[in-house]
Amino acid sequence: MTQQELARSAVYIVQHEYEHATVTAADGRQASVGEFYGDPAVALIDGHEQWCAVAGEGLVICRLEQGFGQCAAYFRQPGEVRWITALRQMGAFALEWQDEDEAWHSLVFEAVDVSAYAPGR
């Protein structure tokens, strides 16, 4: 099995092997971003390397510096799933995501809230 790279910065790499996504730091730390139905489509690493986002079947945002590997999921609950095809950063804690209809939507978050996230689907 071969890992496919989704995003890379000076310190972090976001990869997936089939439906499972991971983030790896240059110092060897690795964290699971979770499982996606179908392979993840796209990833983004924050310009200041504070967080990363992985998307496809919904969106998962993970902390990179403090709290490495703590993640929050968006648009993955039954009845609320969005199929995301593109991401772009719009601010320190803001991004835009494009859905399968090519419409862009914004998401602003202050910090990654991990209270409701369980890795996997």
Side-chain angles (χ1 to χ4, degrees):
M1 293 190 246
T2 304
Q3 295 221 0
Q4 305 260 330
E5 186 174 304
L6 292 169
R8 177 185 290 264
S9 71
V11 179
Y12 300 98
I13 300 172
V14 177
Q15 298 175 305
H16 77 92
E17 188 167 350
Y18 298 108
E19 296 180 336
H20 183 81
T22 58
V23 59
T24 305
D27 64 8
R29 292 176 296 155
Q30 187 174 60
S32 174
V33 176
E35 301 287 329
F36 289 78
Y37 180 78
D39 294 346
V42 64
L44 168 75
I45 298 172
D46 163 50
H48 296 288
E49 298 181 324
Q50 296 179 76
W51 53 269
C52 70
V54 181
E57 174 220 6
L59 170 70
V60 177
I61 299 175
C62 291
R63 293 180 184 172
L64 294 178
E65 291 183 347
Q66 294 180 347
F68 178 76
Q70 294 178 351
C71 302
Y74 299 86
F75 316 116
R76 299 189 82 186
Q77 297 73 27
E80 297 179 18
V81 172
R82 302 292 180 263
W83 297 95
I84 299 173
T85 59
L87 297 169
R88 60 186 178 201
Q89 186 171 357
M90 302 306 292
F93 295 98
L95 58 79
E96 288 187 334
W97 55 273
Q98 187 177 43
D99 63 18
E100 58 194 328
D101 294 331
E102 298 185 6
W104 285 94
H105 309 273
S106 61
L107 176 66
V108 177
F109 53 96
E110 289 299 319
V112 177
D113 176 12
V114 298
S115 61
Y117 181 68
R121 288 192 187 128

